Amino acid sequence: MTQKHNRVVAIYPGSFDPITNGHLDVIERGSRLFDRLIVSVLQNEAKAPLFSVEERVEMLRETARIFPSVEVDCFQGLLADYALGRNASVILRGIRAISDYENELQMALMNRRLQPGLETVFLLAGETFSFISSRLVKEVIGLGGNISGLVPPLVEQRLHERLRRPAAMTK
Ligand code: PNS
């Protein structure tokens, strides 16, 4: 008897402004769980991102190219509609701390209501990454702090270029 294996496509959605090593950890572990993992950047200019969608997609592609089953994309509108259009049955999200849980729970239940059958799978962030967020990384580097080891080297370079403070004016 032959066994039929249904390919499981998962979507890992987010702002990724920019990708951190915490995101990368979720991508790596997710790539081992699903047949295909689509990392997708939300197009939402209302959040006043530091990097454009194109820049974020490019950094993700460059960083995730070592994982053959991972694809990088972007989307707008409802995540549940996008998942349907991409034949995905799973939404992948990372949880760092209990403070993430409430918002994630609301999103997961809303997405399931909008698209019954769409399951959200949570991965607990590795303990080395549980304090990292894109917001904090930007704040620290903007104030002159060291962020090495928190983001991929390419992203660290881009952050330095983007947030380099102008040289002090001299008379
Ligand atoms: O990285 P973030 O900012 O925590 O990601 C949030 C994201 C992109 C997953 C969430 O804002 C989202 O899915 N937005 C799409 C709009 C949508 O579907 N909203 C209703 C259901 S939650």
Side-chain angles (χ1 to χ4, degrees):
M1 197 173 90
T2 52
Q3 282 201 331
K4 189 167 174 273
H5 170 65
N6 288 324
R7 284 171 52 82
V8 180
V9 179
I11 291 183
Y12 179 29
S15 303
F16 303 107
D17 186 37
I19 177 179
T20 67
N21 283 345
H23 295 128
L24 194 57
D25 175 52
V26 172
I27 293 171
E28 179 184 358
R29 287 154 61 207
S31 74
R32 284 190 254 117
L33 288 175
F34 307 106
D35 297 296
R36 184 145 201 84
L37 180 63
I38 304 170
V39 183
S40 203
V41 179
L42 173 68
Q43 289 183 293
N44 180 7
E45 297 306 318
K47 273 197 169 181
L50 179 63
F51 293 102
S52 69
V53 172
E54 292 75 21
E55 289 171 319
R56 283 176 273 161
V57 164
E58 193 228 312
M59 282 187 273
L60 277 163
R61 284 209 176 115
E62 199 56 43
T63 311
R65 61 195 284 181
I66 47 175
F67 308 115
S69 61
V70 173
E71 171 192 336
V72 180
D73 192 15
C74 56
F75 76 103
Q76 51 191 341
L78 282 177
L79 176 59
D81 290 346
Y82 171 70
L84 184 69
R86 296 296 324 252
N87 291 318
S89 55
V90 172
I91 290 172
L92 177 66
R93 293 284 287 171
I95 287 205
R96 291 164 298 191
I98 199 78
S99 49
D100 283 339
Y101 178 77
E102 201 170 306
N103 186 38
E104 294 297 334
L105 175 74
Q106 283 184 333
M107 287 201 293
L109 294 179
M110 181 60 83
N111 283 323
R112 197 162 66 191
R113 185 192 164 93
L114 291 167
Q115 198 63 61
L118 184 60
E119 293 292 347
T120 302
V121 170
F122 296 106
L123 285 183
L124 294 182
E127 55 277 19
T128 345
F129 307 109
S130 60
F131 65 97
I132 307 176
S133 71
S134 301
R135 184 186 61 79
L136 266 188
V137 163
K138 286 182 281 192
E139 184 177 317
V140 169
I141 198 171
L143 295 170
N146 181 0
I147 57 149
S148 71
L150 304 183
V151 295
L154 161 92
V155 176
E156 186 177 348
Q157 189 191 324
R158 296 287 163 81
L159 278 165
H160 276 294
E161 287 162 9
R162 186 61 49 97
L163 293 173
R164 188 178 290 144
R165 280 180 288 178
M169 299 273 283
T170 47
K171 276 196 181 173

